[in-house]
Amino acid sequence: ETVIDPDCMEWLTSHVADPKYRTGFDRNFWIWEEFDPSCNYLMVADVARGDGADYSTFHIVKLETLEVIGEYQGKPTLDMYANMLNQVGREFGNCMLVVENNNIGYSVLDKLINDHKYPNVYHSIKSTHEYIEQYQAEMRTSAVPGFSTTMKTRPLIVAKLEEFIRNKLIKVYSSRTINEMKTFIWHNGKPQAMK
């Protein structure tokens, strides 16, 4: 019942490797490859609810090869997490930083934009979820920082993830990410994590 087909899960599992470095204040930032200034990176972040049951995570994707070369999974406070995203994003060439703007995600986005002045935060138009450049977004009331996971965007995200894995376009080295995928199942026709 996994969202990712068992054969694809097997292919993903075959690429699992130990990280080169385990760093960060809690040693939960795993790195498989150092920053290469000739490459482009994308950093995507999810902010945990804050009830302690969930993890805040981020992944660093090397866009030329679609390899996930960095990953964090932990339970930092919101200000520590914003600080970490700022530092890591800058270490990876001020890469675009996409933060889910759920209720507490806004707090992290606010710190990134106003306190840290992070120069490359993903913004979109409220109603259409269409990407807009940060400098344009700052002048439009219809633009919001971060990515909105909604009833409209979630099925698209899941479909793209499944498609990229099925077509072997993205490489994931992390055992933690693969383990999350093993518990990502179809439940009453909806993709969701097992309890």
Side-chain angles (χ1 to χ4, degrees), residues 13-145:
T13 305
S14 72
H15 291 95
V16 167
D18 286 333
K20 223 182 228 184
Y21 310 104
R22 292 170 196 246
T23 183
F25 71 96
D26 55 1
R27 299 187 46 77
N28 278 324
F29 176 26
W30 294 2
I31 304 170
W32 286 268
E33 192 180 290
E34 293 96 350
F35 170 66
D36 176 349
S38 71
C39 292
N40 295 290
Y41 298 89
L42 177 70
M43 193 167 156
V44 291
D46 186 26
V47 185
R49 290 187 306 266
D51 58 10
D54 207 3
Y55 290 97
S56 285
T57 61
F58 67 75
H59 292 85
I60 301 167
V61 182
K62 184 168 143 185
L63 295 176
E64 283 75 6
T65 59
L66 291 181
E67 291 170 276
V68 180
I69 55 96
E71 176 200 78
Y72 175 75
Q73 184 185 65
K75 297 183 179 185
T77 62
L78 295 179
D79 58 322
M80 284 170 72
Y81 193 45
N83 189 39
M84 187 179 200
L85 291 172
N86 175 58
Q87 281 182 330
V88 174
R90 290 179 188 274
E91 284 169 23
F92 280 83
N94 288 336
C95 62
M96 176 169 284
L97 179 48
V98 184
V99 180
E100 186 185 4
N101 59 14
N102 57 10
N103 42 12
I104 58 168
Y106 274 115
S107 171
V108 170
L109 282 159
D110 180 63
K111 288 179 187 343
L112 282 165
I113 294 164
N114 297 313
D115 298 357
H116 297 294
K117 309 277 186 255
Y118 191 80
N120 198 2
V121 173
Y122 177 91
H123 285 71
S124 60
I125 304 294
K126 274 181 198 160
S127 55
T128 63
H129 307 291
E130 185 186 332
Y131 167 72
I132 183 171
E133 292 280 350
Q134 185 167 344
Y135 72 92
Q136 292 175 309
E138 286 163 0
M139 300 183 207
R140 290 182 59 173
T141 54
S142 62
V144 289

Side-chain angles (χ1 to χ4, degrees), residues 155-168:
L156 303 173
I157 299 165
V158 174
K160 273 293 172 204
L161 174 69
E162 188 281 329
E163 177 190 328
F164 271 57
I165 292 171
R166 181 171 27 86
N167 291 316
K168 300 175 173 50

